[in-house]
Amino acid sequence: MRLFKILFLLVAFPVFAQQGGMWIPSLLEGMNENEMTALGMKMTPKDIYDVNTSSLKDAVPHFNNGCTSEVISPKGLLLTNHHCGYGQIQSHSTVTNDYLADGFWAMNQSEELPNPGLVATFIVRIEDVTTKVIEGTDGLSSEAEKQKKIQQNIQNVVLTAPKEKWQENRVRAFYEGNQYMLFVVETFKDVRLVGTPPSSIGKFGSDTDNWVWPRHTGDFALFRIYADKNNRPAEYSEDNVPYTPKHFLPISLDGVAENDFTMVFGYPGRTQEYLPAVAIEQIVNDLNPARIAIRDAALKIQDGFMRNDQAIKIQYASKYARIANYWKKWIGENLGLKKSNAIAIKKADEATFMKRVAASGNQATYGNLLNDFQTLYKEIAPYAVGREYFMEVATRNVELLTVGYRLYQLEALYNARGAQSFMDRKENQLSSLKGLYKDYSSTVDKEVFNELIAMYRKGAPSQFVPASLKAADISSLTNTIYSQSALTTYEGISNLLSGDAESVLKKMQADPGYQLLKAMADIYTNDIAPKYDAINLEISALQRTYMKAILELSPKEARIFPDANSTLRVTYGQVKGYSPADAVYYHPVTTLEGVMQKYVPGDYEFDVPQRLIELYNAKDYGVYGENGEMPVCFIATNHTTGGNSGSPAIDANGNLIGLNFDRVWEGTMSDIYYDPEICRNIMVDIRYVLFIVDKYAGATHLIDEMKLVHPKKEVATNANGKSKKRKK
């Protein structure tokens, strides 16, 4: 019980200096509420999260289990990032009907486009179930036994916790497994594309500007949630109707100014704020450099083809963006960790921690933690590097090898469960591979393979490189595989997988592409993964104990929030500029003038649509402009990460003011170490979104759905600026 009393104190003690954090919305009363109020918030915690009445949480669904979105009308209109909906936009695009290049706007609901597999998930309620989950684990000696018991307990909670039949129970770990929370959710499966600007707006600046400020990207797309006649989740059907939300976000037309309160609500994916210094050293010195180099090589090759072939550009647009996103993030992360001296700061914090251990008399329990970390991270190092090389080359960046790895898993299934399981999975694989080959070019992939397989041979620890690859001539190997392997076309893979299990396996073994992948995957499966997983399990157990010690031994005023784990969180701060380097200062707001300053006609990244140029020249901004300018983006001190893409930026009164989509490059290390001096999140100003929907696209029917407000005037305003009584 002592630990959870401490958790309560950490949330209840009033401290007003903002230091970042991603907080559980059901636990905001106390310290967080006081801090948020001191920063300018006018809401209460119940306005943000309430089980019994509608609250902000009811307007913020998880978008396709990766990004965040927000409901902005009583008809289920959903706003998220352009890059979050990129795959859906791409799937509807062709060379002759290119929604990526030209944009798309449904002018009525019958024109809205369905997206099989796309989901939006709402949180119904959150409960602490720690006691139930850890029950019966105290007497277990091994970590594997503890985790097995915990998983059994979690499954029991999932099965027995009360919910409606159309809802789902999920349990997630917090504080490295020192706390467990139950999430009851509703997942809507009919989500249709409503509108998207062209990539020249939604992806303006593309990879050059990614993770960069100043930013001028209109990174948004509109979808709509559909439900059955009872307003409940349902598979796609023409009989479905627009979802009526419990709450939707009003939209403020007042804009932002320096020091304005901001709150970002969403589903941050993963942070590692409590890693020991030795772990950060391994990331900075070993893992990130390997990842960066591999993706750098792949991206340069893909980019060269995309710039010269429109069909390839469409095929690889989504893949390229996905690969480039974390490539650039890792570069900035390394730079930021070094610049902020994060490793030295962590070591100083660890020295203070050890003093607290000694002062509390807990040497027997916690005294060897840091030494044990040193031992384990040294032991895992070669396996961690080998794992990264295999994952990056074989499962993420060379598509032929990625397909080969799927076949490898099929073979493993045959060995484990027999022919029938193999045949069942084979048919599923064939179906799913159609989409992969639709966006595949063997010409591009061949060049990527040739470069990356050479990097694999040189960079992976020698003991993890197959003997056949060590002896091979890379150029000859590449030509042989891409001229003879069935894995280069969908027709080829279909023929390869035709027949009974035994004949398919025989054909697979004879395929040169599969032969190489199998040699690599055998080493990964037999030599890397088991050892890596075993050591990592020990590290995870040690990290849990370390987290428990931090919670127990830190002073009451310490700011200790749980790492992100793709669950609903609140982060808050203020609109602020920043100074990333000596004599350099960035203002917190950009305008359309900056778009025009970056404009390069016909450029892949910085072209501008003619219609937008016309609106700029005429200064035709409607009610969305301010002092003769059109605001585009702004930054604030909210602590965000991947998964917060598409999160609503909310003002002090609970109105939508922006759409989160990125962070500044100098602060991308905030997943590991948050520095309030330079860490900033980047948001599209909601007025730019409305300006594009209204003035650029002419989709005024969508504006009419929304509730536009002027919080300072306490009146609502429609698109043409006429006042009307504000809805309560």
Side-chain angles (χ1 to χ4, degrees):
M1 286 299 295
R2 183 188 175 199
L3 173 61
F4 299 106
K5 289 180 180 178
I6 291 168
L7 286 174
F8 172 78
L9 289 170
L10 290 171
V11 176
F13 197 88
V15 179
F16 300 118
Q18 191 208 342
Q19 300 176 28
M22 299 174 178
W23 305 95
I24 302 171
S26 57
L27 300 174
L28 291 176
E29 293 182 356
M31 181 185 69
N32 291 107
E33 179 182 7
N34 293 338
E35 182 181 33
M36 295 166 83
T37 301
L39 290 170
M41 184 181 75
K42 303 288 193 293
M43 297 177 286
T44 69
K46 284 190 176 295
D47 292 327
I48 298 169
Y49 174 90
D50 198 321
V51 174
N52 299 316
T53 60
S54 65
S55 57
L56 291 182
K57 76 167 174 64
D58 299 313
V60 186
H62 207 177
F63 186 81
N64 212 28
N65 299 313
C67 289
T68 304
S69 56
E70 51 275 355
V71 185
I72 58 171
S73 90
K75 298 179 181 179
L77 192 61
L78 199 64
L79 179 65
T80 191
N81 285 157
H82 182 270
H83 77 259
C84 292
Y86 205 76
Q88 285 72 38
I89 300 166
Q90 181 196 37
S91 71
H92 293 294
S93 296
T94 64
V95 173
T96 56
N97 192 24
D98 191 348
Y99 296 145
L100 289 174
D102 303 328
F104 165 80
W105 303 96
M107 291 304 172
N108 54 64
Q109 290 177 9
S110 67
E111 295 180 358
E112 295 173 359
L113 301 176
N115 301 281
L118 179 62
V119 298
T121 302
F122 291 87
I123 301 295
V124 178
R125 69 176 186 274
I126 306 172
E127 298 176 11
D128 190 317
V129 292
T130 306
T131 302
K132 294 179 181 178
V133 171
I134 65 173
E135 184 179 3
T137 61
D138 285 345
L140 301 177
S141 56
S142 77
E143 181 62 20
E145 289 178 335
K146 288 181 180 178
Q147 289 304 313
K148 182 178 179 180
K149 180 62 176 176
I150 285 171
Q151 291 306 313
Q152 290 172 346
N153 290 342
I154 287 174
Q155 185 63 21
N156 186 57
V157 171
V158 167
L159 292 173
T160 61
K163 66 175 182 64
E164 302 293 345
K165 63 180 181 179
W166 62 87
Q167 297 172 347
E168 178 185 353
N169 290 330
R170 299 175 180 176
V171 175
R172 297 291 183 265
F174 293 80
Y175 296 108
E176 306 294 343
N178 285 288
Q179 187 177 30
Y180 291 86
M181 306 292 281
L182 168 70
F183 293 81
V184 182
V185 304
E186 292 180 343
T187 298
F188 289 80
K189 300 177 181 179
D190 186 354
V191 183
R192 306 180 194 179
L193 178 63
V194 173
T196 174
S199 293
S200 52
I201 293 174
K203 202 183 173 189
F204 181 79
S206 192
D207 300 299
T208 296
D209 273 6
N210 190 25
W211 304 104
V212 168
W213 185 260
R215 196 68 172 273
H216 301 86
T217 310
D219 194 349
F220 78 93
L222 289 163
F223 291 79
R224 191 185 305 279
I225 301 172
Y226 282 75
D228 67 15
K229 63 182 180 180
N230 296 313
N231 205 41
R232 294 172 183 167
E235 298 287 348
Y236 170 80
S237 169
E238 292 183 359
D239 295 329
N240 287 345
V241 296
Y243 170 64
T244 301
K246 297 175 184 176
H247 182 77
F248 65 92
L249 298 180
I251 297 174
S252 171
L253 292 177
D254 285 349
V256 298
E258 188 113 18
N259 298 319
D260 278 357
F261 174 85
T262 59
M263 184 182 84
V264 171
F265 211 174
Y267 298 82
R270 184 170 183 258
T271 58
Q272 297 174 288
E273 302 289 342
Y274 306 102
L275 286 177
V278 64
I280 300 175
E281 286 178 316
Q282 189 171 99
I283 290 170
V284 170
N285 298 328
D286 299 327
L287 304 185
N288 275 354
R291 297 162 173 160
I292 292 165
I294 292 168
R295 293 199 179 196
D296 185 63
L299 289 167
K300 284 179 179 177
I301 293 168
Q302 291 177 0
D303 182 66
F305 281 99
M306 290 169 69
R307 288 180 181 272
N308 292 293
D309 189 314
Q310 178 68 9
I312 289 176
K313 179 181 176 182
I314 292 173
Q315 285 181 315
Y316 277 78
S318 182
K319 291 182 284 191
Y320 185 94
R322 183 179 66 249
I323 295 167
N325 189 43
Y326 267 77
W327 161 76
K328 194 168 186 179
K329 188 262 188 184
W330 289 324
I331 296 172
E333 181 176 84
N334 262 23
L335 291 173
L337 289 170
K338 292 175 181 177
K339 178 184 175 182
S340 63
N341 210 17
I343 294 172
I345 291 171
K346 285 282 187 179
K347 288 181 177 179
D349 290 343
E350 289 168 3
T352 300
F353 168 79
M354 292 308 299
K355 290 178 182 178
R356 289 175 182 157
V357 170
S360 66
N362 279 291
Q363 293 95 330
T365 306
Y366 302 135
N368 291 322
L369 281 172
L370 297 179
N371 287 335
D372 290 343
F373 274 131
Q374 288 283 346
T375 298
L376 289 172
Y377 275 101
K378 182 178 180 180
E379 186 179 352
I380 204 173
Y383 303 99
V385 172
R387 181 177 182 272
E388 288 300 328
Y389 268 93
F390 179 79
M391 290 296 179
E392 287 296 320
V393 174
T395 72
R396 293 173 184 153
N397 290 289
V398 178
E399 293 174 279
L400 179 141
L401 295 179
T402 300
V403 173
Y405 191 59
R406 291 195 189 186
L407 301 186
Y408 184 82
Q409 292 172 314
L410 268 178
E411 182 177 351
L413 183 66
Y414 174 84
N415 293 331
R417 298 184 182 178
Q420 186 58 54
S421 295
F422 176 94
M423 296 299 289
D424 293 341
R425 182 71 62 83
K426 182 192 76 168
E427 295 305 317
N428 291 335
Q429 286 288 11
L430 271 174
S431 177
S432 66
L433 285 171
K434 281 185 180 179
L436 185 150
Y437 281 99
K438 172 181 175 287
D439 297 321
Y440 175 76
S441 166
S442 62
T443 303
V444 176
D445 197 47
K446 178 181 178 181
E447 295 301 316
V448 174
F449 174 94
N450 189 69
E451 186 71 21
L452 266 55
I453 207 69
M455 296 179 70
Y456 185 93
R457 182 170 70 178
K458 181 179 180 181
S462 179
Q463 67 269 34
F464 301 142
V465 177
S468 60
L469 183 56
K470 290 180 181 178
D473 176 84
I474 297 297
S475 180
S476 297
L477 177 66
T478 300
N479 288 330
T480 297
I481 287 176
Y482 281 82
S483 64
Q484 298 179 19
S485 176
L487 278 55
T488 58
T489 66
Y490 184 69
E491 181 182 9
I493 195 74
S494 297
N495 291 333
L496 183 69
L497 292 180
S498 65
D500 59 34
E502 288 72 20
S503 64
V504 170
L505 287 169
K506 186 176 180 180
K507 287 187 286 184
M508 284 166 50
Q509 308 301 337
D511 186 276
Y514 184 71
Q515 287 173 353
L516 176 62
L517 182 281
K518 181 174 171 61
M520 296 167 66
D522 278 345
I523 291 175
Y524 172 75
T525 302
N526 299 323
D527 300 335
I528 298 176
K531 192 67 174 176
Y532 176 88
D533 291 343
I535 302 171
N536 197 50
L537 188 64
E538 293 184 63
I539 290 174
S540 297
L542 199 62
Q543 188 73 39
R544 184 174 66 247
T545 303
Y546 185 44
M547 189 76 247
K548 183 173 184 289
I550 291 172
L551 291 167
E552 287 183 356
L553 303 180
S554 295
K556 290 187 292 186
E557 66 271 17
R559 303 302 311 277
I560 305 177
F561 59 92
D563 269 322
N565 60 357
S566 295
T567 58
L568 187 60
R569 303 292 183 92
V570 169
T571 177
Y572 47 85
Q574 292 177 310
V575 176
K576 284 188 182 293
Y578 75 113
S579 181
D582 183 46
V584 175
Y585 176 77
Y586 287 132
H587 291 281
V589 178
T590 61
T591 68
L592 189 56
E593 183 177 353
V595 174
M596 298 308 161
Q597 290 171 353
K598 292 179 177 179
Y599 171 40
V600 180
D603 185 76
Y604 176 61
E605 299 178 304
F606 295 101
D607 200 3
V608 175
Q610 183 60 36
R611 174 60 178 159
L612 189 59
I613 296 173
E614 293 169 357
L615 291 167
Y616 169 75
N617 289 335
K619 299 296 183 286
D620 185 7
Y621 304 144
V623 297
Y624 314 115
E626 182 177 1
N627 299 323
E629 295 184 320
M630 184 64 246
V632 175
C633 296
F634 65 97
I635 53 173
T637 59
N638 303 289
H639 187 177
T640 62
T641 188
N644 279 124
S645 290
S647 287
I650 297 170
D651 70 6
N653 299 293
N655 304 306
L656 186 65
I657 54 174
L659 183 64
N660 186 81
F661 71 97
D662 207 353
R663 287 173 283 169
V664 301
W665 204 41
E666 297 85 354
T668 52
M669 82 290 190
S670 61
D671 290 350
I672 295 172
Y673 176 70
Y674 177 84
D675 184 344
E677 292 300 313
I678 62 173
C679 289
R680 297 288 183 272
N681 66 306
I682 304 175
M683 294 154 281
V684 187
D685 193 304
I686 194 61
R687 293 171 297 173
Y688 188 58
V689 173
L690 299 180
F691 163 73
I692 296 298
V693 174
D694 183 350
K695 292 291 185 176
Y696 177 88
T700 55
H701 64 292
L702 298 177
I703 302 293
D704 291 340
E705 284 188 38
M706 305 173 196
K707 178 182 175 183
L708 309 183
V709 301
H710 284 287
K712 294 178 182 178
K713 299 177 182 178
E714 289 297 316
V715 296
T717 305
N718 63 18
N720 60 20
K722 294 181 180 179
S723 297
K724 56 184 179 180
K725 185 177 180 181
R726 184 178 180 182
K727 298 177 183 178
K728 296 295 183 181

